[in-house]
Amino acid sequence: MRPPPFASTGGGRVRLQLRVPIAQQGRAKTCAVLTLDNGAKRNALSPRMMAELGDAVTAIREHLHSDVGDTCVAVVLTGAHGTFCSGFDLSSSADDALLNPGFAGEMSLLMHENMLALHSLPLVSIAAVDGFALGGGAELASWCDFRVMSAGAKAGFLQTKMGVVTGWGGATRLRHLMGTSRALRLLTSPRVLSAYEAYDLGFATHPSSISMPSLVHSTATSGVSHPPSHESVTASAIDIVHRDIFERDWKDAYPAALRAMKRTLCGDAGLEGYLEGLRKSLANERQEFVQLWGAQDNVEAVKNALTPSAKSNKKGSNL
């Protein structure tokens, strides 16, 4: 879909890497890597980043039809600066013009289409989570097929604490992932979960025993430890996925067969019917979100989150 006018506002970037090698042994494979980069806000998404995310997913789909796209088997979604994503950048809504139902509906629709586009790629999608996946960040992770969490990672659906419901499709996705009861348990409690609590509840699929920056440092050939840069954070996400999935589980799998298996589970033949069902659920979810966004409870929560004391403790948002 065409991004709405608000999508040109805000900071941060969504960076895309194609043809990233992911297996040192076994059959040659590559992946695409999407990196959320808004360090001052713990990678919270600005409107500009939402539009860039959609453009990046489109570029991945086009890459698959190119002459060099046949080895690509996965897309990894990760964050720069040692953290995943803290939801929506609340500083973008300091202008009251963004705290209204019109903005809420446009933002939610854009993110719903972005998530459906990511989810329907004929690639295994993997959220490589270190640091925080909060609010909308947890929703982003939920739309991936696998959620790899490092030992120190934390995830939480904090929307009820902000006076809203999920705006990026998290409720629809979690109901499909784990059923109504478990989804309600996650979504009605604004508690931040450890990686192992998230695994126990069925949210995390591959908890990691080594944090991403530590893994990068331990595998560095120079033996010199450096602070994680954008490149090293991206590499660390790939290393975790490589160790837990590609090297252990998919070492001998053929790329074409892996992509065919994803199509089989969410295949082209039944894809439109499947997506249409998701869109109906997302429309209901979006309606609830629009009604609460900018209402008294939400405005109060946003103002509290943007107070100096709150900003000193939280560098991002939790929506």
Side-chain angles (χ1 to χ4, degrees):
M1 65 174 292
R2 186 176 183 179
F6 73 81
S8 63
T9 62
R13 295 294 305 275
V14 176
R15 306 188 186 279
L16 171 63
Q17 292 174 278
L18 298 171
R19 302 181 66 185
V20 177
I22 54 176
Q24 296 175 355
Q25 301 178 23
R27 306 189 188 283
K29 306 175 186 71
T30 63
C31 73
V33 178
L34 286 166
T35 303
L36 309 175
D37 190 349
N38 191 8
K41 305 294 181 180
R42 282 186 178 170
N43 298 332
L45 263 61
S46 66
R48 182 191 302 274
M49 292 174 70
M50 296 178 194
E52 289 185 354
L53 179 60
D55 291 342
V57 174
T58 298
I60 293 172
R61 188 175 292 277
E62 292 173 351
H63 170 68
L64 297 179
H65 296 292
S66 71
D67 294 337
V68 294
D70 58 348
T71 62
C72 189
V73 295
V75 52
V76 179
L77 178 62
T78 190
H81 313 292
T83 196
F84 185 71
C85 176
S86 295
F88 175 62
D89 181 3
L90 284 177
S91 64
S92 299
S93 61
D95 182 352
D96 290 342
L98 299 185
L99 283 175
N100 66 70
F103 168 77
E106 290 183 333
M107 174 182 69
S108 185
L109 179 59
L110 174 60
M111 289 303 294
H112 287 173
E113 291 302 315
N114 285 348
M115 294 301 94
L116 288 176
L118 174 67
H119 183 58
S120 61
L121 285 172
L123 302 171
V124 176
S125 54
I126 304 165
V129 180
D130 201 22
F132 294 95
L134 301 177
E139 293 188 70
L140 291 183
S142 74
W143 279 100
C144 292
D145 298 314
F146 298 152
R147 288 159 297 284
V148 178
M149 295 183 68
S150 66
K154 298 182 183 298
F157 291 86
L158 308 185
Q159 284 82 353
T160 56
K161 185 177 180 179
M162 300 303 297
V164 293
V165 299
T166 47
W168 297 352
T172 292
R173 175 60 174 158
L174 286 182
R175 181 167 59 85
H176 280 264
L177 275 178
M178 57 185 62
T180 301
S181 294
R182 285 200 170 202
L184 273 173
R185 183 177 177 186
L186 277 177
L187 293 171
T188 57
S189 171
R191 190 167 66 89
V192 178
L193 305 173
S194 70
Y196 297 101
E197 289 176 307
Y199 181 75
D200 186 56
L201 288 171
F203 179 74
T205 57
H206 297 75
S208 173
S209 59
I210 307 175
S211 68
M212 290 191 232
S214 296
L215 186 60
V216 172
H217 298 162
S218 68
T219 58
T221 57
S222 65
V224 179
S225 177
H226 300 284
S229 64
H230 162 71
E231 290 78 15
S232 67
V233 169
T234 302
S236 65
I238 296 168
D239 284 343
I240 287 179
V241 171
H242 171 83
R243 185 191 68 233
D244 292 349
I245 301 172
F246 288 94
E247 227 7 72
R248 184 185 67 196
D249 298 339
W250 292 3
K251 177 181 175 182
D252 295 321
Y254 286 93
L258 290 171
R259 286 166 58 167
M261 194 62 73
K262 174 65 184 284
R263 289 196 302 270
T264 299
L265 293 173
C266 183
D268 293 337
L271 183 59
E272 284 307 314
Y274 171 66
L275 292 180
E276 184 60 29
L278 288 179
R279 285 195 173 96
K280 289 180 180 179
S281 178
L282 289 171
N284 293 331
E285 189 173 338
R286 186 162 59 249
Q287 182 178 7
E288 296 287 349
F289 177 71
V290 168
Q291 290 175 354
L292 293 174
W293 179 269
Q296 181 178 348
D297 290 346
N298 178 234
V299 171
E300 179 181 310
V302 169
K303 288 181 178 178
N304 289 338
L306 291 175
T307 60
S309 60
K311 285 195 285 186
S312 66
N313 293 322
K314 293 188 292 183
K315 296 182 180 179
S317 89
N318 305 128
L319 275 178

